[in-house]
Amino acid sequence: MIDWLPPWVRHYRRQWLAGDVSAGLLVTLLLVPQGLAYALVAGLPPQVGLYASLLPLPLYALLGRSHAQSVGPMAVTSLLVAATLGKLGLATPADYLLAAVWLALLSGAMLLLFGLFRLGFLADVLSEPVLAGFTAASALLIVLSQLAPLAGLHSGGASLPAILATLWHQAAHYSPHALLLGVPALLLLWWARSGLPRSLQALGLGASPLLLLARGMPMLVVLGSMLAVGVLGWHGQLPQVGRIPAGLPALAWPALPAGGLSALVLPAFFIALINYVQSLSVAQLLAIPRRETVDPDRELLALGACNIGAGLCGGLPVTGGLTRSVVNAEAGANTQLASLITAGLIALLLWLGSGSLAALPLTALAATIIAAVAPQVRLAPLWHAWRAERSDAVAFAVTFVLVLWLGVDSGIVAGVVISLAAWLMKSSRPHLAELGLLPGSSHFRNVQRHPCQTLPGVLILRIDESLYFGNARHVRDALLARLAAAGQVHTLLLVMSAVNRVDITGLAMLQRLDDTLGLRGVRLQLAEVKGPVWDVFGRAGLAERFAGRVHLSTYAAWQGLQPVPDFHI
């Protein structure tokens, strides 16, 4: 067998074929309306959403490792594209499309570089509360932005004030035909998420027919709306998709935008970051039931190649979609053959049946977007964070408000800043615990939480954070304050079990602290210094300074610091 083939090809089993075929068919029924709709969210021609799925699906099948990850356009990414390009003042639709293609190419190139340099940790730049707030606010913006096309109006704006202003100014020009078609479609899609599965189960249908009907409802709505327009003679009475070029897109390296690439680099980075976090999260979710692991760097390489492939096809940036991937897995996908089948069916549609999509009403696409995105407007993480950690709740709320008010492009920048600021704030004020010995044991605990023994004249403090430039001054001040409050102390023992690293600023702080305590007649001693931290001490020339004052364990230090008993004859 050829070594370069992905593992699922080398070890494919015949019994997997039925599940892969059914999953490929079902995801196609979901991806076609989603692809068309998400392209419109980005302000692009609808076929661009289908173009963006052609190469990425087989590229991920070749390079990715998730068995059911389905790569294609995503709602939040489309909104990011619209927000970015809407601020550039592009002269023509062709310039707008060209800039969107370059966003895919640039973000793909960045993801490839991140993967080559093994920068998978970039997924941690956004904290969970910030990411949840960003996702909820972005989903709400998408839902609100689609109210205009649902009513037959032109959508506009990438922030809450702009969207509301657009709706207000066009309110008198709504299309009754669009509402008569779009609102029932939305209600049907909403019912398909909750009521339909229960109804089908009551009828005794098995899991596979139930899944096929429930998940294929967006395509049924699309087909039904096209049929309704034809039967009722509503052509020209409401906005429609219009002509979609027949055939497959030509692979080509695009020309440079008229304004250059400088204005696209930073937005492309944030699009790459959001897409990577989304794709990695989906891959990890799908790996849990199969007890598999996900290589973040491998996902970076695969997703980078997918975005470059999307750009070469004239598409917009792509990522692993949660809904599509979960549907793919639930429909029985065992390998990435399901994605190859989906790509083949989309190519067949573009080649033979693209003309039939011209009569598709935009109000039906708006209904599919609202139904798909509305469940992501979740405020439950805010209440959970408020109960667990108030600072995380503040991070969620601030990100949510900023994304709504400023738009997703400015909101994601604010989200990264908030994540880093929250981490810096927490680590710059580390917890200091005064320790004592639990009676009858060799274990040490916080004296404020447990009844503990202490030694007279000895203050034992544990630093619950690494020592670095961001907290060195505060730790020094806090240690001196604790020492002053303790009264008569001749020894300060710092337990460094939670100190995982130390930088030059942290070392300088310890050196100055040692000098200050020496002038006061207080001896500074250390316990439980980890090997990598002690290596830094040695390279900085401080190992000799603290020689004889570093203890292997806190209990060993306790034994060495106990007063010598007096014997009387």
Side-chain angles (χ1 to χ4, degrees):
M1 186 64 69
I2 301 175
D3 292 337
W4 60 265
L5 289 175
W8 68 266
V9 175
R10 298 199 302 268
H11 307 291
Y12 197 83
R13 300 177 185 176
R14 182 180 300 177
Q15 59 265 34
W16 293 345
L17 183 60
D20 286 338
V21 171
S22 63
L25 174 62
L26 186 55
V27 172
T28 303
L29 297 177
L30 184 63
L31 181 54
V32 169
Q34 278 192 353
L36 296 170
Y38 293 158
L40 295 174
V41 170
L44 298 166
Q47 67 270 16
V48 172
L50 299 182
Y51 293 166
S53 303
L54 288 176
L55 266 186
L57 286 169
L59 282 173
Y60 188 87
L62 181 64
L63 300 174
R65 289 295 180 264
S66 174
H67 76 287
Q69 178 92 279
S70 180
V71 178
M74 187 185 75
V76 174
T77 303
S78 297
L79 191 60
L80 273 168
V81 170
T84 298
L85 302 185
K87 295 182 177 181
L88 298 183
L90 299 168
T92 65
D95 292 334
Y96 191 99
L97 175 58
L98 184 61
V101 169
W102 272 104
L103 283 176
L105 293 172
L106 287 173
S107 62
M110 291 177 185
L111 290 167
L112 274 180
L113 288 175
F114 296 159
L116 290 174
F117 288 101
R118 306 187 68 80
L119 301 180
F121 65 86
L122 286 172
D124 302 325
V125 171
L126 288 173
S127 67
E128 188 67 28
V130 167
L131 185 61
F134 172 81
T135 302
S138 300
L140 181 57
L141 285 178
I142 292 170
V143 170
L144 294 175
S145 70
Q146 293 307 300
L147 294 180
L150 185 73
L153 306 174
H154 296 289
S155 61
S159 64
L160 182 61
I163 292 173
L164 293 180
T166 300
L167 290 172
W168 176 260
H169 292 309
Q170 298 185 76
H173 305 288
Y174 72 91
S175 168
H177 300 87
L179 287 174
L180 286 173
L181 199 60
V183 172
L186 178 60
L187 295 176
L188 180 61
L189 289 169
W190 195 267
W191 174 71
R193 282 184 168 271
S194 55
L196 180 59
R198 292 194 296 269
S199 300
L200 295 177
Q201 286 178 346
L203 293 175
L205 290 180
S208 296
L210 186 153
L211 182 67
L212 184 63
L213 286 172
R215 299 303 191 186
M217 188 59 69
M219 178 59 80
L220 295 178
V221 166
V222 165
L223 296 175
S225 65
M226 294 166 58
L227 180 62
V229 169
V231 170
L232 298 174
W234 285 357
H235 294 289
Q237 302 298 318
L238 71 174
Q240 295 171 282
V241 166
R243 178 182 175 273
I244 292 181
L248 303 178
L251 295 180
W253 190 263
L256 289 175
L261 299 178
S262 58
L264 300 177
V265 173
L266 187 60
F269 169 77
F270 287 114
I271 288 174
L273 180 63
I274 288 296
N275 284 348
Y276 171 53
V277 172
Q278 167 77 9
S279 182
L280 182 62
S281 300
V282 173
Q284 290 172 333
L285 177 66
L286 297 174
I288 292 173
R290 297 164 64 98
R291 298 181 181 179
E292 297 174 343
T293 58
V294 176
D295 181 358
D297 298 313
R298 182 77 186 194
E299 289 301 305
L300 277 171
L301 292 172
L303 192 61
C306 290
N307 276 277
I308 291 177
L312 294 178
C313 285
L316 70 162
V318 296
T319 187
L322 176 61
T323 303
R324 290 191 306 272
S325 299
V326 171
V327 168
N328 200 24
E330 290 179 348
N334 296 295
T335 69
Q336 281 294 324
L337 178 61
S339 291
L340 295 180
I341 293 172
T342 298
L345 291 174
I346 291 176
L348 189 64
L349 173 66
L350 286 169
W351 187 29
L352 299 177
S354 60
S356 61
L357 297 174
L360 174 58
L362 296 185
T363 184
L365 289 180
T368 63
I369 296 173
I370 294 173
V373 175
Q376 297 181 37
V377 185
R378 299 176 59 246
L379 297 181
L382 174 61
W383 315 132
H384 177 73
W386 184 258
R387 291 192 301 268
E389 179 60 54
R390 296 291 174 87
S391 62
D392 286 338
V394 171
F396 179 104
V398 171
T399 304
F400 184 86
V401 171
L402 288 178
V403 170
L404 287 179
W405 194 257
L406 302 178
V408 287
D409 50 344
S410 301
I412 188 59
V413 177
V416 173
V417 172
I418 291 170
S419 293
L420 297 177
W423 169 79
L424 184 62
M425 181 182 67
K426 291 178 182 179
S427 63
S428 67
R429 300 290 187 271
H431 177 252
L432 294 179
E434 181 180 350
L435 303 184
L437 180 66
L438 289 175
S441 74
S442 60
H443 302 293
F444 289 80
R445 292 294 184 269
N446 191 331
V447 297
Q448 296 182 352
R449 295 177 179 269
H450 303 275
C452 298
Q453 298 175 358
T454 59
L455 290 176
V458 177
L459 180 61
I460 305 175
L461 294 177
R462 186 187 67 221
I463 304 173
D464 290 340
E465 182 60 75
S466 294
L467 294 175
Y468 73 108
F469 66 92
N471 63 15
R473 181 184 58 81
H474 175 80
V475 170
R476 177 183 179 276
D477 294 344
L479 290 174
L480 291 176
R482 289 289 190 96
L483 197 64
Q488 296 296 323
V489 173
H490 59 74
T491 301
L492 173 61
L493 176 64
L494 294 183
V495 180
M496 301 182 68
S497 56
V499 178
N500 296 316
R501 65 179 183 87
V502 61
D503 66 2
I504 293 298
T505 307
L507 290 176
M509 181 274 292
L510 289 175
Q511 188 172 357
R512 289 192 293 270
L513 178 66
D514 189 32
D515 293 337
T516 301
L517 295 181
L519 294 174
R520 299 182 183 183
V522 178
R523 184 174 173 84
L524 176 63
Q525 299 197 31
L526 309 176
E528 302 187 30
V529 182
K530 295 182 177 180
V533 174
W534 187 247
D535 291 340
V536 179
F537 272 73
R539 292 194 296 270
L542 291 183
E544 294 182 1
R545 180 188 183 100
F546 286 95
R549 293 189 283 160
V550 180
H551 304 274
L552 183 63
S553 68
T554 308
Y555 188 67
W558 172 278
Q559 291 178 315
L561 292 171
Q562 290 192 74
V564 179
D566 294 328
F567 294 96
H568 300 279
I569 298 177

